[in-house]
């Protein structure tokens, strides 16, 4: 595979590779020499993305996957077996929860859920067969923060791997490996792309663990397409600037909302009265861009606010240059029973904003349009 002196990375749209001789083919297939054989195994564009993401997480290696869910699936399939037990934070991404409950448990792996921010709950959930802790911090939609250093200590004592979904922060705002996590999973679909164009994911960690994860991906197939890797490579170039701009907009918006007479509560770890504020300050370089708030009047009031906005996109997606707005209780968390919703702290009057990169005044004006309905 030849690289010319292109400035923008080449996109290698090829499923397989040719060899100079039968001997080279044999040696490549037996891994005697490192070469490209087939794009389910390796692809130069995908490899560039993996190397850069690994650098950003300051990790030995990253392995790209077809989506964020494929990253989590690959970690579990590669590293656990029937009879093992996962302790998982309660407020993980909806599909993570469905995958665990409906599919992972089908293969004899047990899963227990604990409140993210309660270290003693994690400790108490450990069993003789516990092999993995899985968490997502900050949580969605309430911005709860896991104490990664504390969690990693409990996980180590329990001989378990700590896996952190770092999708909301990206390595620009948080590097979980520094706090003792063993593995980071990403949905590149969100901030790494940043403009909602492509699906992808990644697993990051030490070379030994990543070899095992890649072994599963090579055999099973949910690897990243070169085209998507090329989009994410472009995304990584602006990730740092974008995350800072997302965070600045979100912090200012959260402050404005917290002073708004029609808003009864704001959930954002950047606000000093949020229970996770000091932890977030310690382990993140900024607070990210997901802000949730409550209006009086329950579901009807929340729907009224959402429907009156004009610029914001009504969608459950996040990590986009465009600000999105959603009603968690009837969409992202709509499968939960009323009791489970209450346990998770998701009220009917709760609205979630994933703050984008538009001018802050435009975002405020649009939300004001909604709030003025009440
Ligand atoms: C979107 C998301 C995922 C899943 O990623 P896909 O790329 O959609 O498969 C996992 N975790 C979090 C926190 C997410 O927001």
């Amino acid at each position: 595979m030849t690289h010319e002196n292109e400035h923008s990375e080449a996109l290698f749209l090829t499923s397989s590779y040719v060899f100079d001789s039968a001997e080279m083919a044999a040696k490549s297939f037996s891994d005697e020499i490192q070469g490209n054989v087939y794009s389910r195994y390796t692809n130069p564009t995908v490899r560039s993305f993996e190397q850069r993401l690994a650098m950003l997480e300051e990790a030995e290696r990253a392995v790209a996957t077809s989506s964020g869910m494929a990253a989590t699936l690959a970690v579990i399939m590669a590293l656990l077996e029937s009879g093992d037990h996962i302790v998982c934070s309660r407020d993980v991404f909806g599909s993570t929860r469905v995958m665990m409950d409906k599919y992972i448990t089908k293969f004899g792996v047990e899963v227990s859920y604990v409140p993210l921010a309660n270290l003693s709950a994690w400790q108490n959930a450990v069993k003789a067969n516990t092999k993995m802790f899985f968490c997502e911090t900050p949580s969605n939609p309430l911005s709860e923060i896991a104490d990664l250093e504390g969690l990693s200590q409990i996980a180590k004592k329990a001989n378990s791997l700590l896996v952190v979904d770092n999708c909301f922060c990206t390595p620009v705002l948080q590097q979980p490996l520094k706090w003792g996590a063993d593995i980071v999973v990403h949905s590149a679909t969100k901030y790494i792309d940043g403009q909602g164009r492509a699906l992808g994911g990644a697993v990051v960690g030490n070379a030994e663990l990543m070899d095992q994860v890649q072994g599963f991906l090579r055999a099973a197939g949910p690897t990243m397409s070169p085209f998507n890797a090329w989009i994410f490579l472009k995304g990584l170039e602006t990730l740092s600037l974008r995350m800072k701009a997302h965070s600045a907009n979100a912090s200012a918006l959260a402050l404005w909302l917290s002073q708004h007479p029609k808003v009864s509560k704001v959930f954002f770890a950047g606000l000093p009265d949020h229970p996770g504020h000091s932890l977030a300050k310690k382990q993140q370089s900024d607070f990210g861009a997901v802000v949730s708030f409550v209006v009086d009047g329950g579901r009807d009031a929340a729907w009224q606010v959402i429907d009156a906005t004009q610029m914001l996109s009504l969608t459950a997606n996040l990590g986009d240059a465009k600000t999105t707005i959603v009603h968690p209780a009837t969409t992202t968390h709509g499968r939960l029973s009323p009791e489970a919703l209450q346990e998770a702290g998701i009220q009917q009057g709760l609205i979630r904003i994933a703050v984008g990169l538009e001018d802050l005044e435009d975002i405020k004006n649009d939300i004001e349009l909604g709030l003025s309905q009440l």
Side-chain angles (χ1 to χ4, degrees), residues 67-69 93 96 136 165 167-168 187 189-190 199-200 318:
S67 67
M69 292 321 304
F93 184 66
T96 305
E136 190 183 305
D165 182 333
C167 169
F168 275 34
S187 167
T189 316
K190 310 292 169 52
L199 236 71
L318 57 94

Side-chain angles (χ1 to χ4, degrees), residues 286-327:
D286 212 329
F287 300 103
V290 177
V291 178
S292 297
F293 63 97
V294 179
V295 290
D296 289 337
R299 191 194 78 172
D300 291 349
W303 280 17
Q304 236 182 321
V305 172
I306 291 169
D307 286 341
T309 60
Q310 291 181 354
M311 181 185 81
L312 305 197
S313 309
L314 172 47
T315 169
N317 195 28
L318 57 94
D320 200 289
K322 296 174 186 161
T323 299
T324 65
I325 186 166
V326 77
H327 183 242

Side-chain angles (χ1 to χ4, degrees), residues 13 62 122 159 174 215 234 262 292 295 348:
L13 275 183
W122 289 86
N159 265 325
Q174 172 172 271
K234 297 282 122 196
K262 302 275 176 68
S292 297
V295 290
Q348 289 294 330

Side-chain angles (χ1 to χ4, degrees), residues 98-176:
V98 174
M99 178 168 75
M100 299 271 186
D101 290 346
K102 198 164 170 199
Y103 299 101
I104 300 303
T105 51
K106 208 163 83 165
F107 295 94
V109 174
E110 290 178 83
V111 188
S112 314
Y113 295 98
V114 294
L116 176 75
N118 183 344
L119 280 184
S120 48
W122 289 86
Q123 177 67 64
N124 294 338
V126 171
K127 304 202 278 189
N129 57 341
T130 303
K131 291 284 165 55
M132 186 176 284
F133 283 21
F134 188 99
C135 77
E136 190 183 305
T137 181
S139 76
N140 177 23
L142 299 182
S143 200
E144 285 186 281
I145 307 291
D147 177 350
L148 292 178
E149 211 171 13
L151 258 189
S152 80
Q153 280 161 10
I154 299 171
K156 278 205 177 66
K157 272 202 208 116
N159 265 325
S160 295
L161 294 169
L162 173 60
V163 182
V164 179
D165 182 333
N166 200 24
C167 169
F168 275 34
C169 277
T170 82
V172 173
L173 302 186
Q174 172 172 271
Q175 294 170 303

